[in-house]
Amino acid sequence: MLLKTNNSKFMIKEVALLVFALFFNFSLGQEIIKEEKKIASLNKPKSDSNRVKADGVAAVVGGNIILESDLDRSIAQIKAQGGDLGETTRCQLFGKILEDKLYAHQAVQDSITVNELQIRSQIDQQIEGILPNFNGSMADLLKYYKKNSEDELREEIYEINKSTSLANQMQEKILADIEITPEEVRQFYNNLKKEGLPTFGVELNVAEIVVIPEVTEASKQEVINKLKEYKRDIEENGASFTTKALFYSQDGSKVDGGKLPTMNRKRPRMVKEFRDVAFSLREGEISEPFESPFGYHIVFLEKIRGQEYDVRHILLRPEITQDAIEKAKKEIDEVRAKITDGSISFADAAREFSDRKETKFEGGKLINPVTQDFNFELTKMDTDIYTQIQDLKDNEISDVIQDQDRENPIFFKLVTVTDRIDEHEADFARDYLKIKRLALQNKHFDAIGKWQKETIESTFIKINGEYRDCEFTSNWLKKE
């Protein structure tokens, strides 16, 4: 199926590769041209053009420049990470960089702002992600990126994160109000029929039964008492909340002293239990212990800036006793025995015994988070799920599986494949949600294409050297 990509032919099939490259490429040009004479210098006679080439300026988009080294390092980074460029050309990669710079430039014009603290909080994770490729050596990392110090590297990563955030927010603004009606979906499907309907691969319906070991009231009270003691020590004896979190918190934020990404009242991301407490605090106040799906917390509200809240927390999870684990294992063994001897169906057993609220009322059926239906395309299935069902025949029940997730350090489950849909040509009734998603994606491309066309025309853009010979889909060269 050919869908409109309007900005570059490879936008869909190469998007993951490009995002990867641009996310880790810390050397994309972020310099801002502040004087008109710098822009004018790009248009000087040939004798001066050599000086520009030596400076490595490949393009100017609004107030941003793109250096020749930006593209070279993007390509080198992809290869260093084991990526395969395939048939992707330099011109295509360059076109993607131009698009990102256009978004970022217009975001500034539209007074879109970024959260500096949140952007800087990403830097540690990014450096930790790439250091293993240099055997953990910061010196080798700095040498590769031609930086004199870690601070210099961090500052450049910050500029990259800032530019990316601006570009993402600009795209969100463009697409924010775009919706699609059932009639538009039908029309899109009818147009596809004329061109040739897409084929969807083998799809599976998967169901589960989950039994979670019960936490005793004594274990809950124990962590509540600990959190109260931490709070008392901080408030009465001047102990450090950050230090307490560093030593005692049981989630990933402990390495940052319990600091979480800045919370925003307009764009809440934390679970409701956490939001309700955090947004009720005064600046400098520590909450009483409270429960969320992840355990028990106390929250320290450090700073309020309008709608933004800077918070730290300490998370403790009640201990699960060995007796509770053995009881849960025995229960799921008994459930499996009842299903296998025909005493109860898998779906009814899920409704009666499963502890996973998200699936139990659907007879244990998992919902595909992408398509919002029960179908999982085999080639795109989450690795963990695929591993658990790959050897199962239809309606065969797995052995008891011990597993864990963010909320539960241990639980037991059974899985089964309830239905298998063979590879088939798209059908409007059966595949409506998939077709709707494609239709909306197509409408987004149209909106982005229209926006880009209008914005390119009204923005100063200068392409230098060999890139003027590229065949761009968008009119970057502003040819009539």
Side-chain angles (χ1 to χ4, degrees), residues 14-49:
E14 299 294 347
V15 68
L17 174 63
L18 289 166
V19 168
F20 178 86
L22 298 178
F23 181 77
F24 282 104
N25 177 18
F26 301 146
S27 298
L28 291 181
Q30 301 295 325
E31 300 164 40
I32 305 299
I33 297 178
K34 300 182 183 298
E35 301 175 17
E36 291 183 4
K37 62 183 180 181
K38 290 185 179 180
I39 296 176
S41 70
L42 298 175
N43 296 314
K44 285 187 176 182
K46 188 174 181 179
S47 59
D48 286 328
S49 66

Side-chain angles (χ1 to χ4, degrees), residues 70-84:
D70 294 342
L71 185 56
D72 292 335
R73 294 199 182 203
S74 289
I75 294 171
Q77 187 63 40
I78 293 171
K79 293 179 178 178
Q81 298 291 334
D84 182 8

Side-chain angles (χ1 to χ4, degrees), residues 47-74:
S47 59
D48 286 328
S49 66
N50 289 333
R51 183 183 62 78
V52 173
K53 185 174 181 62
D55 288 340
V57 177
V60 182
V61 179
N64 300 311
I65 68 172
I66 300 170
L67 303 178
E68 179 73 30
S69 59
D70 294 342
L71 185 56
D72 292 335
R73 294 199 182 203
S74 289

Side-chain angles (χ1 to χ4, degrees), residues 52 132 188 212 283 346 380 400 429:
V52 173
F188 177 76
I212 303 171
E283 192 172 293
F346 193 99
K380 299 178 182 177
V400 173

Side-chain angles (χ1 to χ4, degrees), residues 50 60 94 111 123 126 191 193 213 252 270-271 301 334 372 378 394 400 417 433 443 450:
N50 289 333
V60 182
F94 188 69
S111 300
I123 296 175
Q126 289 170 265
N191 290 337
K193 287 171 69 175
M270 303 298 184
V271 293
L301 178 56
E334 291 174 351
Q372 294 302 308
L378 189 60
D394 292 357
V400 173
V417 176
L433 290 176
K443 196 170 182 179
K450 180 182 178 182

Side-chain angles (χ1 to χ4, degrees), residues 153-369:
L153 176 63
R154 285 177 174 273
E155 195 57 33
E156 189 157 346
I157 298 173
Y158 167 76
E159 292 299 333
I160 299 300
N161 290 349
K162 178 180 177 180
S163 181
T164 301
S165 177
L166 287 171
N168 289 342
Q169 290 184 74
M170 190 67 238
Q171 283 185 303
E172 289 174 2
K173 181 178 179 181
I174 297 166
L175 303 176
D177 298 325
I178 296 177
E179 298 178 347
I180 195 159
T181 66
E183 181 54 36
E184 287 177 312
V185 178
R186 181 175 293 279
Q187 185 59 50
F188 177 76
Y189 177 76
N190 289 336
N191 290 337
L192 286 180
K193 287 171 69 175
K194 298 173 185 176
E195 301 172 7
L197 290 169
T199 297
F200 294 126
V202 175
E203 295 174 332
L204 304 178
N205 288 182
V206 180
E208 66 177 5
I209 297 173
V210 174
V211 176
I212 303 171
E214 185 177 358
V215 178
T216 66
E217 290 301 319
S219 292
K220 293 178 183 179
Q221 192 59 50
E222 183 177 351
V223 298
I224 291 172
N225 292 341
K226 285 182 180 179
L227 290 170
K228 285 183 175 180
E229 178 58 35
Y230 299 158
K231 173 180 164 70
R232 184 163 48 250
D233 193 25
I234 295 165
E235 292 178 337
E236 297 179 5
N237 302 322
S240 166
F241 191 101
T242 300
T243 302
K244 294 280 188 189
L246 187 64
F247 278 102
Y248 302 116
S249 191
Q250 295 176 342
D251 80 330
S253 71
K254 69 177 296 179
V255 297
D256 292 320
K259 188 170 183 62
L260 295 172
T262 297
M263 298 176 63
N264 191 304
R265 278 187 176 273
K266 293 183 178 179
R267 297 187 299 275
R269 295 181 179 177
M270 303 298 184
V271 293
K272 183 180 185 300
E273 296 88 344
F274 195 98
R275 297 196 311 265
D276 288 347
V277 172
F279 291 148
S280 70
L281 296 175
R282 297 186 301 272
E283 192 172 293
E285 186 178 7
I286 300 173
S287 74
E288 293 294 330
F290 66 95
E291 186 179 11
S292 84
F294 303 103
Y296 288 81
H297 314 249
I298 53 173
V299 175
F300 172 43
L301 178 56
E302 285 191 305
K303 189 76 175 174
I304 300 176
R305 300 187 312 281
Q307 298 293 319
E308 296 183 337
Y309 286 57
D310 294 335
V311 300
R312 294 181 186 270
H313 81 138
I314 298 173
L315 169 69
L316 296 182
R317 295 187 176 96
E319 181 183 357
I320 300 174
T321 65
Q322 188 59 39
D323 285 346
I325 293 173
E326 292 175 0
K327 181 180 178 182
K329 176 64 166 59
K330 180 180 179 182
E331 180 180 345
I332 202 163
D333 284 338
E334 291 174 351
V335 170
R336 188 180 190 283
K338 289 179 180 179
I339 297 171
T340 24
D341 69 16
S343 301
I344 192 172
S345 69
F346 193 99
D348 287 341
R351 294 185 184 96
E352 183 174 348
F353 300 107
S354 185
D355 293 326
R356 182 69 56 79
K357 294 179 181 178
E358 296 85 352
T359 59
K360 70 176 298 176
F361 300 111
E362 297 289 350
K365 284 187 178 181
L366 274 64
I367 297 176
N368 187 325

